Amino acid sequence: MNFSLLSSEMLAAGLGTGLLILGLIAPKTENRRGFGYITAFGLLAVLVATFFQYGINQSTFHELWIVDDYSVFMKQVFIVAAILVVLSAVDFVETLPRFRGEFFALIVYALLGMMVMASANDLITIYVGLELMTITFFVLVAYQLGDGRSSEAGIKYLILGSVSSAVLLYGMSILYGLTGTTTIPEMLTKLTWSPILVVAIVMLIGGFGFKISLVPFHMWSPDIYEGAPTPITAFLAVASKAAGFAVMVRVFLLGLPLEGAVDWMLLISLLAGITMVIGNVVAIPQTNIKRMLAYSSVAQAGYMIAGLMSMDAPGVKGILFYSMIYVVANVGAFTVATLVRRALDTDTIADYAGLGQRQPLLASTLTICLLSLAGIPPLSGFVGKFYIFQAVMDKGILWPAFVGFVMSMISVYYYLNVALYMWRDDPKDDRPVPVPGPAKLVIVLSLVVTVVLGVYPGPLGELATMAAKSLF
Amino acid sequence: MTVGLTHFLILGTILFSLGLYTVFAKRSAIAILMGIELMLNAVNVNLIAFNRYVAPESHIGQIFSVFVIVVAAAEVAVGLALVISIYRDRISTNVDDLDWLKW
């Protein structure tokens, strides 16, 4: 057994527990801003530690746990998302009535669950990581005590999330019954066609599809995104979705054979197409920015899952690259929403009127991030979509690229609608929109990274290529 | 007649369907949580039966079901806490009253 393969998870677990203990011994009267900085620096250390895990490509604990370049890259996506979310939440946490210190500890535990999912090579490990992440999110979504919408979102997420895990689990139990094993690479050799395998695969797609909000299973996301505290919405939208992709790619590409078994690709491509269309079309009439971003993230899930259709390293590379830039752009947009919410107490898009005059930094970051999500060149979102659809088209499957292109054009309408309000209209009042230091750092970072990765995607692209190749 | 794998699987399917029906039909949040428990226990029945009849040489299924039990306990603990928190807001645990967020 090689415990060094668990090093980054141990660091994260230690950080979370340390934060809990610190919360107990720190005086109640002290403010909790310091916790945010400690968390951010601790996560930065974990991020640095993960760089030493590139090139290991080993598994341990009887194949339960695997560290390959793919899992390391995915872990870095989650850690980057967590650092940005923690920094953007430093000032938000001061507005919480109680349990301010534990907020950061819970974020770290959710991150730990995602890291376990990325390295899981076995159905049991996948399930434990998934539930560690999900149960922590139940708590975080309902964290704003006294705000009825937050606890309503929490209980809705709890009921729907638990049902989806139960369905996923039932599918997993059937897979175990068919093969007698829970290890993913072993399943690949033992699965053959049978009607019950169809049921299992539909259940797996339902369970994972819930996590990444694939279309028939996306109904929860706008409600929960709207009710949850905005930094948590950002974390839920980017990191938990990326974790769902991390597991889904591994289980489907490495665990479920296509030849001689069930053609799950048909169902996946069908859902990818529907997701791209529904997500973008329903986003158009939204008036609340968090609901608009929720439907936009549904649409993004459709683009990303299309990368699975190529079934090779370039497609996975597209998914990896896209999840990183999706994290940065979305966290930027949600941070702006957090700050506007704090200053103006509103999430309505019409109330963003005149933000360009009041706070040009916020308005330009939101515009750039939204344009990147829409896939406008030369921003990084365009490069990500290009990688994904190029990989699919190289396999001779043309329709996802057409659907994706048309739907991207439609998405420009509702993204630019926000920009129109911000830059064209005059402000309704002239209350200032303050930008505290740590949030400003997040905003500037997401602005710079979104632009720079669009013009110069080389290094991250090469890293993603290396990570994707380790799967095959 | 001997009791075989099929019987256990039918029991699991019935339990799972009952749980799913409870989740959709009941209006009380507590009853819904009980339905979710039924679904998870159906999975446990499946896992143990598969372990006994398909792969008796290893204990993967039993270990898996222990993990499921532990996680289900954690899920219910958080679930009941959330029910209390929503009850303080609305003086009700009826899921029909959860209509502040609508799509």
Side-chain angles (χ1 to χ4, degrees):
Chain A
M1 294 202 190
N2 187 354
F3 282 100
S4 69
L5 295 183
L6 287 162
S7 57
S8 52
E9 283 72 24
M10 287 177 184
L11 282 175
L15 178 67
T17 314
L19 282 166
L20 274 185
I21 296 171
L22 203 62
L24 286 176
I25 54 179
K28 280 212 164 53
T29 47
E30 292 285 312
N31 75 29
R32 293 291 192 257
R33 298 176 57 89
F35 281 57
Y37 296 121
I38 294 173
T39 317
F41 276 113
L43 290 177
L44 208 58
V46 181
L47 182 64
V48 173
T50 52
F51 274 102
F52 294 102
Q53 292 188 322
Y54 274 118
I56 292 183
N57 294 322
Q58 282 177 22
S59 62
T60 183
F61 297 119
H62 302 282
E63 306 266 309
L64 277 175
W65 184 266
I66 187 165
V67 175
D68 49 9
D69 295 345
Y70 170 78
S71 71
V72 177
F73 188 94
M74 268 299 177
K75 282 177 201 172
Q76 290 179 336
V77 172
F78 311 146
I79 298 172
V80 167
I83 292 176
L84 294 176
V85 166
V86 163
L87 282 178
S88 79
V90 165
D91 284 271
F92 163 82
V93 166
E94 290 304 307
T95 62
L96 290 173
R98 289 169 72 190
F99 308 120
R100 285 171 294 183
E102 287 83 350
F103 187 80
F104 296 113
L106 285 173
I107 289 186
V108 175
Y109 283 128
L111 171 71
L112 180 63
M114 294 166 197
M115 291 166 76
V116 171
M117 284 165 81
S119 268
N121 199 28
D122 184 285
L123 295 181
I124 303 179
T125 322
I126 289 176
Y127 177 65
V128 172
L130 188 86
E131 289 296 301
L132 177 55
M133 174 187 90
T134 316
I135 295 181
T136 320
F137 266 122
F138 296 155
V139 182
L140 282 171
V141 166
Y143 215 80
Q144 205 137 29
L145 290 176
D147 180 354
R149 297 192 312 158
S150 178
S151 42
E152 177 180 328
I155 201 154
K156 278 184 178 170
Y157 191 37
L158 176 103
I159 291 172
L160 298 172
S162 310
V163 171
S164 86
S165 329
V167 170
L168 174 71
L169 210 50
Y170 200 84
M172 285 181 174
S173 79
I174 295 174
L175 283 185
Y176 170 63
L178 288 172
T179 58
T181 176
T182 52
T183 316
I184 291 170
E186 264 182 66
M187 282 179 358
L188 186 69
T189 55
K190 290 188 181 165
L191 281 175
T192 47
W193 195 89
S194 65
I196 196 72
L197 183 60
V198 181
V199 178
I201 284 176
V202 169
M203 284 179 148
L204 282 188
I205 291 181
F208 290 134
F210 176 87
K211 293 284 174 265
I212 62 172
S213 59
L214 220 53
V215 145
F217 320 106
H218 72 292
M219 303 300 240
W220 60 280
S221 56
D223 276 9
I224 278 84
Y225 283 21
E226 187 188 349
T230 314
I232 295 309
T233 309
F235 201 39
L236 193 63
V238 298
S240 91
K241 191 171 283 196
F245 273 108
V247 172
M248 209 167 166
V249 168
R250 196 186 288 279
V251 170
F252 278 81
L253 287 187
L254 304 186
L256 304 175
L258 267 183
E259 280 99 32
V262 176
D263 186 12
W264 46 266
M265 188 48 80
L266 189 69
L267 189 55
I268 292 257
S269 25
L270 194 70
L271 293 184
I274 300 176
T275 307
M276 285 190 261
V277 174
I278 302 267
N280 280 312
V281 170
V282 185
I284 293 174
Q286 301 301 325
T287 54
N288 181 308
I289 187 133
K290 282 161 88 178
R291 293 187 90 86
M292 190 275 276
L293 285 171
Y295 281 109
S296 113
S297 87
V298 171
Q300 308 289 334
Y303 302 138
M304 281 203 255
I305 203 73
L308 203 57
M309 285 151 78
S310 78
M311 304 258 319
D312 57 3
V316 176
K317 173 211 175 184
I319 295 182
L320 291 171
F321 187 89
Y322 201 86
S323 37
M324 185 61 103
I325 55 167
Y326 166 78
V327 162
V328 177
N330 248 343
V331 171
F334 276 113
T335 308
V336 174
T338 313
L339 295 173
V340 172
R341 171 73 190 264
R342 267 195 79 194
L344 310 179
D345 198 31
T346 175
D347 286 329
T348 316
I349 294 175
D351 290 333
Y352 279 63
L355 196 66
Q357 295 172 32
R358 294 164 99 169
Q359 193 51 269
L361 177 66
L362 290 188
S364 37
T365 306
L366 189 54
T367 314
I368 295 287
C369 288
L370 292 182
L371 286 180
S372 170
L373 288 175
I376 302 286
L379 300 169
S380 54
F382 170 75
V383 185
K385 284 202 179 90
F386 179 75
Y387 283 156
I388 288 182
F389 289 125
Q390 189 196 28
V392 181
M393 282 170 83
D394 280 348
K395 287 278 166 170
I397 316 169
L398 295 182
W399 68 266
F402 284 121
V403 176
F405 180 72
V406 172
M407 284 302 141
S408 296
M409 289 304 107
I410 290 179
S411 73
V412 174
Y413 170 75
Y414 61 82
Y415 287 131
L416 276 186
N417 192 26
V418 181
L420 200 63
Y421 275 114
M422 288 192 301
W423 296 103
R424 179 196 60 187
D425 296 355
D426 285 325
K428 284 179 187 155
D429 54 52
D430 40 77
R431 274 180 293 168
V433 182
V435 185
K440 189 180 252 169
L441 181 67
V442 175
I443 283 179
V444 172
L445 266 180
S446 56
L447 183 65
V448 170
V449 173
T450 306
V451 175
V452 168
L453 281 182
V455 208
Y456 186 55
L460 184 66
E462 276 163 27
L463 201 63
T465 310
M466 186 180 87
K469 275 188 183 142
S470 75
L471 268 190
F472 297 95
Chain B
M1 186 189 89
T2 49
V3 177
L5 179 61
T6 324
H7 300 87
F8 285 105
L9 294 188
I10 290 174
L11 172 70
T13 318
I14 292 174
L15 269 182
F16 191 82
S17 317
L18 281 177
L20 203 58
Y21 175 76
T22 314
V23 169
F24 285 121
K26 289 288 175 185
R27 300 270 70 104
S28 158
I30 306 273
I32 291 177
L33 286 179
M34 288 160 70
I36 292 165
E37 282 301 293
L38 273 186
M39 293 168 78
L40 291 175
N41 283 325
V43 174
N44 286 341
V45 170
N46 261 7
L47 286 172
I48 300 288
F50 281 137
N51 195 161
R52 168 75 178 73
Y53 290 99
V54 177
E57 70 282 358
S58 70
H59 301 287
I60 302 174
Q62 298 183 26
I63 295 168
F64 202 161
S65 66
V66 169
F67 276 101
V68 174
I69 292 169
V70 171
V71 169
E75 216 162 54
V76 166
V78 172
L80 291 177
L82 286 180
V83 170
I84 292 174
S85 127
I86 199 94
Y87 183 77
R88 285 193 183 139
D89 268 335
R90 317 271 164 98
I91 320 293
S92 152
T93 57
N94 190 331
V95 286
D96 285 339
D97 292 340
L98 302 179
D99 55 358
W100 291 8
L101 305 164
K102 274 251 176 83
W103 64 291

